[in-house]
Amino acid sequence: MTHISFLSRPPPNALLGHWPFIKMHGLQNYFVIVDSRDGPKSFDEGDIVRICDSHTGVGGEQLLTIEHASDEGAKAGAYAAMRIFNTDGKEVGACGNATRCVAHLLLEETSGDEVQVETRAGVLHCRRVGPMQISVTLGPISMDWRRIPLANYVDTLHLPLQSGPLKDGVALNIGNPHAIFFVDQLDDVDMAHYAPVVQNDPLFPDGINVGAAQVLDGLTLRLAVWERPGILTKSCGTGACVAAHAALKRGLMTSRRIVVHLSVGSLEIEIVDGDMAVMTGPVAFCCHGFIEGAKCRSLQR
């Protein structure tokens, strides 16, 4: 199978260590994507921080690498694997919008309508549902305090902590950890002020993504998410999934098909099989070019 053409084409007369990338976004959740299947790409944490910084690199909320599926993943039907790195260089297990972007590239590569993508959160089923519209099935969503993880047992449906209007939250894990707080008026919540207090609470040894959700009606939510390592993202796919799941658990929704409005657009979430979420939304291209990694910089010293 031919890999994604301008991800795998080497730059002419480039030093070893300059690699092609594609920048994409899902509802202005921006990703720098590198194909590592034709040879390992050596990125250290400093590289990732630099590449994701718009002042020193391409700019993005995560760096994604496309890898060969593991033997176990291939047995489960995965066509390829992806790794996800936050702006601080730390690897994370899941990102719904990122998975949709990578899935779109792989679907273009295979000329198919369905593809399985291996992640640290498991093998995810992705489908093309329209022009530049991708769905991905995420989960299972867990509310077990040990899997989130929490430092000690608490009722995960009613978290015993508060930061201003963020109170009586719900803790969940969908491959990455989230705390969702239902608020009366989302526009009145200063996430940059209140969310870091929750994110850095000792109850969350690995930190946590903090969401504030406003119920508009039995079918619709508004959502804002303060993501690890500490940014107010314009869109969060896994956050939309767990917000819908938490709203159902709290009895706030009348349907398992829920529209989640984020600051720049909407995602459609359907909760299926009790603890799985099918997320559907758009993907878009930004640009492509070449970036340098650690090996290239070491050759220049």
Side-chain angles (χ1 to χ4, degrees), residues 148 170-174 176-180 208-210 225 236 238-239 242:
I148 291 167
V170 182
L172 316 93
N173 188 295
I174 190 171
N176 56 4
H178 289 265
I180 299 295
I208 202 156
N209 300 296
V210 182
V225 179
C236 180
T238 57
V242 296

Side-chain angles (χ1 to χ4, degrees), residues 160 170 179 201 280:
V170 182
D201 191 282
T280 301

Side-chain angles (χ1 to χ4, degrees), residues 1-9 35 37-38 66 68 79 105-111:
M1 184 67 65
T2 302
H3 291 172
I4 306 155
S5 60
F6 54 87
L7 268 180
S8 54
R9 185 195 312 127
D35 191 344
R37 290 172 294 174
D38 291 330
I66 301 174
H68 290 293
Y79 173 75
L105 293 176
L106 297 177
L107 289 168
E108 290 295 293
E109 179 177 298
T110 62
S111 300

Side-chain angles (χ1 to χ4, degrees), residues 90-112:
K90 300 293 193 300
E91 187 169 4
V92 296
C95 177
N97 287 329
T99 304
R100 289 190 298 106
C101 288
V102 167
H104 174 77
L105 293 176
L106 297 177
L107 289 168
E108 290 295 293
E109 179 177 298
T110 62
S111 300

